[in-house]
Amino acid sequence: MRYSPDAIRTIALVGHAGCGKTSLVEALLHQGGAIHAPGSVERGTTVCDFDPLERKYQHSLNSAVVHLDYRDTRVYLLDTPGYPDFCGLSISALPAVETAAVVINAQTGIEMTTLRMMAWAQERKLCRMLIVNGIDGEKVDLPALLAQIQQTFGTGCLPINLPAQNGRQVVDCFFNPAGDADFLSVAAAHNALIDQVIEIDPALMELYLEQGEAISPEQLHEPFERALREGHLVPICFTSAANGAGVAELLDLFVRLLPNPLEGNPPLFYRDAGERRQVVRAEPVADKHVLAHAFKIVMDPYIGKMAVFRIHQGTVRRDSQLYIGDGRQPFKVAHLMLLQGKEHVEVTQAGPGDICATAKVDEIGFDAVLHDAPEDGDIHLTPLDFPTSIYGLAIEPARRGNEQRLWEVLQKLSAEDPCLRIEHPVGTNETVVRGLGELHLRLMLERLSDHYKLEVVTRPPKIAYRETIGGGAEGHHRHKKQTGGAGQFGEVMLRVEPLPRGAGFEFVDAVKGGAIPGQFMPAVEKGIQQVIESGPLAGFPMQDVRVTVFDGKSHSVDSKEVAFVAAGRKAFVDAVLKAQPILLEPIVGIEVTTPEAAMGDIIGDLSAKRGQVHGTRAAAGNAVVVSGQVPLSELNDYQSRLNAIAGGHGSYSIQFSHYDPVPPAQQERMASQHKKQGDGTAP
């Protein structure tokens, strides 16, 4: 059955690992009649956690798409991983939905991923709601948790239902505010919701305040949706996936209150218009041109590469033709499928709001825009802001001759995960896989071994140092070569200046009077780029430098591109070595979860690693979270060190923060080593 856009809801369940997202999806599927009985994470029988590694670790490691039909409405649910190492797969699900439902474990409260997903969803202008799951757990303090939520995320976070009978059921605070709750007054919660919603509708507020007229839920629908869109209201629901409390009410809220594709904030499409971006508003109308976005790639062993996409505009039919981005050749949609976990249901067509998949189209990559009009090839979706993948492993096959196969498999794995990057750094003969943490890469290695039967050898990679300059300077080089025939001549004068940290590289052509003919300026920049890729101080890429070429000389016969490449390169090296060259190292934000008894030792160990501790906070089960920053070079094999200090009960996560100068003694040592290697005197 095909549903119109106003009868579709799309919701991503996001939150920290262990908050019960997958179990909640099972309960919702069962409540909606999509499955006969809820599956179990512990027994490996859930619809969403079908990957062997997910069953082994009893945690979601991939995002999964399911759907159910309830009260003449199609509800798409995206179950996402909660481990920080796999947050890229959670973030990538956000452009596919109108609503981000952030799930909080009632026992453990607000955790790191809770904070991050609330922020990422707000940045993408999604409607947000909070689901407190596990309300029937032991020693839960729901009043304290509600206060913590409002303190952390604002007073616009209001309960739309409340637990009752010690977490065995919930009572409605919006449509039918009657009954007694375990805490708070249902009437007071109802009035708080009404007050929050009517704040954004002056006419309705006047009717409510001055005339004292009761406001019906039907009158509140439009301002309620607007309050969600503007982030003025974040409703809080209470549930227990274990005993079913609040599950029926939650599904009812999905259908009655959450925005459909016509009501949610529009996706952030734009059209390239020279130096400007022109906003493109996708209209969820079936007879418009197709606009869809591929937010997930799956390398299926049976049907090949599968792209999962959300249709934002138009209708996609089986056997229709679609273009990929600015590609000139369309592809035929031979398979059009709805997903139910690992199950694929073939359909003949899908429209605005639908989440579906197509297979055996190798050209589709993550974040691709699909369309059916050649003139829409310049339409893009605003890129997602993913965490920087800084944790790395150098990797090579255990058997010689498997290099090409390893590279192909790594490309498949990185196609599925936007935060798994494959590098082959300039100047090193190693393949480096970078991810968001130790667990991220450990499971990647398990996939190589278990799924692809490929044994590899790993070692710590060289740290991704960078080079920059601390001041300004000028450089000059005249390249002159005479070999009997036509010679080579090029002379370049340039100036270097530091840019703010993270600004990158800027090239400025300030040559006047044709001192360097225009056709040779790309060659000058090419020579400079060669140094940018492998800096003169220690051989690492350069960043945060502006280069201004202001003068030079040429020869009418002997000037050639190769001459200006050499002159630009050597003039740039000359300037950089005069401009207080600086070696930068990556600094990562770190959060260490440890038993409270080991907190002092953890803080001392981080300080010994040149780290800075910014604070601590309480966590569940007499644990604390120590947060701070530390150089990445100090974290080699840190998990082993943490296990020794915390008795095997510690864990940590890192996220790239910024680059800072390395200590002077270390810079001098690394520069000296690079110089010896350049001279051929190093071992």
Side-chain angles (χ1 to χ4, degrees), residues 27 36 68 70 94 142 172 176 203 207 209 212 224 266 281 325 329 338 364 389 391 410 443 462 497 534 566 618 679:
H36 295 299
L68 60 92
Y70 183 75
L94 297 181
L142 296 178
D172 180 26
N176 184 30
L207 189 71
L209 295 178
F224 189 97
R281 185 180 179 91
Q329 294 295 323
L338 293 183
I364 300 182
S389 302
Y391 194 96
L410 290 176
L443 292 185
K462 295 180 179 178
E497 306 165 76
S534 182
D679 293 340

Side-chain angles (χ1 to χ4, degrees), residues 51-368:
D51 183 274
L53 284 177
E54 292 178 316
R55 292 173 176 171
K56 174 182 176 181
Y57 285 94
Q58 297 184 5
H59 277 285
S60 298
L61 305 174
N62 299 288
S63 59
V65 181
V66 296
H67 64 276
L68 60 92
D69 299 331
Y70 183 75
R71 294 189 178 179
D72 299 322
T73 303
R74 167 68 52 82
V75 179
Y76 289 99
L77 300 173
L78 276 68
D79 182 27
T80 65
Y83 277 122
D85 287 29
F86 301 97
C87 67
L89 297 168
S90 300
I91 299 171
S92 62
L94 297 181
V97 299
E98 267 74 50
T99 304
V102 183
V103 184
I104 299 175
N105 186 314
Q107 288 183 313
T108 56
I110 295 172
E111 299 174 270
M112 179 174 59
T113 304
T114 317
L115 297 165
R116 291 180 177 177
M117 294 313 305
M118 282 289 283
W120 277 316
Q122 184 178 28
E123 183 181 340
R124 295 302 291 189
K125 302 185 184 302
L126 296 180
C127 300
R128 294 170 296 160
M129 68 180 302
L130 289 163
I131 302 173
V132 177
N133 187 38
I135 59 174
D136 60 330
E138 295 183 3
K139 298 181 180 179
V140 298
D141 188 346
L142 296 178
L145 177 55
L146 178 59
Q148 183 190 22
I149 288 172
Q150 293 178 333
Q151 182 180 0
T152 305
F153 302 120
T155 55
C157 299
L158 294 172
I160 203 163
N161 58 38
L162 286 167
Q165 296 187 9
N166 295 320
R168 293 193 296 272
Q169 66 179 51
V170 300
V171 292
D172 180 26
C173 300
F174 187 72
F175 293 106
N176 184 30
D180 296 322
D182 290 341
F183 68 97
L184 288 184
S185 158
V186 173
H190 175 75
N191 291 334
L193 279 169
I194 300 297
D195 291 344
Q196 189 74 8
V197 170
I198 64 174
E199 275 185 4
I200 63 171
D201 191 326
L204 198 60
M205 179 180 288
E206 182 179 355
L207 189 71
Y208 180 63
L209 295 178
E210 294 187 4
Q211 300 180 20
E213 294 189 15
I215 305 296
S216 69
E218 289 71 28
Q219 288 176 289
L220 287 171
H221 183 81
E222 186 175 339
F224 189 97
E225 298 294 341
R226 182 179 164 195
L228 286 177
R229 289 196 301 271
E230 296 179 4
H232 188 68
L233 172 66
V234 179
I236 304 172
C237 300
F238 292 87
T239 65
S240 170
N243 70 8
V247 173
E249 291 81 356
L250 180 62
L251 189 52
D252 193 54
L253 289 174
F254 284 174
V255 171
R256 298 180 69 180
L257 288 179
L258 293 191
N260 61 51
L262 298 166
E263 295 169 328
N265 286 325
L268 307 177
F269 284 109
Y270 68 92
R271 187 186 298 272
D272 279 331
E275 296 181 358
R276 297 185 302 106
R277 285 184 175 186
Q278 179 184 345
V279 174
V280 174
R281 185 180 179 91
E283 299 180 47
V285 179
D287 57 1
K288 291 275 189 178
H289 286 180
V290 170
L291 271 182
H293 173 251
F295 66 91
K296 178 179 171 64
I297 300 295
V298 180
M299 307 304 290
D300 191 284
Y302 301 106
I303 63 175
K305 190 175 188 179
M306 181 172 71
V308 185
F309 58 93
R310 158 73 187 265
I311 302 173
H312 294 282
Q313 177 178 293
T315 300
V316 176
R317 296 177 174 83
R318 191 169 60 200
D319 296 332
S320 62
Q321 304 234 339
L322 293 179
Y323 295 88
I324 304 168
D326 58 2
R328 300 299 179 189
Q329 294 295 323
F331 72 91
K332 181 180 178 181
V333 183
H335 299 277
L336 186 63
M337 301 168 286
L338 293 183
L339 301 181
Q340 193 74 322
K342 67 178 179 180
E343 303 297 329
H344 309 145
V345 183
E346 291 269 359
V347 293
T348 57
Q349 63 180 15
D354 283 322
I355 297 175
C356 45
T358 189
K360 298 182 179 179
V361 185
D362 291 338
E363 295 79 13
I364 300 182
F366 171 75
D367 212 28

Side-chain angles (χ1 to χ4, degrees), residues 403-463:
E403 288 81 7
Q404 182 62 31
R405 181 162 179 259
L406 174 61
W407 182 257
E408 291 172 355
V409 171
L410 290 176
Q411 292 300 316
K412 289 181 179 181
L413 294 176
S414 63
E416 293 182 306
D417 188 340
C419 289
L420 194 67
R421 295 191 294 111
I422 315 301
E423 299 177 350
H424 201 82
V426 175
T428 67
N429 189 26
E430 62 181 9
T431 297
V432 177
V433 184
R434 295 203 179 274
L436 298 179
E438 185 180 45
L439 178 64
H440 196 187
L441 296 189
R442 188 169 81 233
L443 292 185
M444 179 274 299
L445 294 176
E446 286 199 43
R447 291 189 193 280
L448 283 176
S449 174
D450 298 348
H451 187 77
Y452 292 99
K453 310 301 180 187
L454 190 58
E455 298 300 323
V456 296
V457 177
T458 64
R459 62 182 180 277
K462 295 180 179 178
I463 297 294

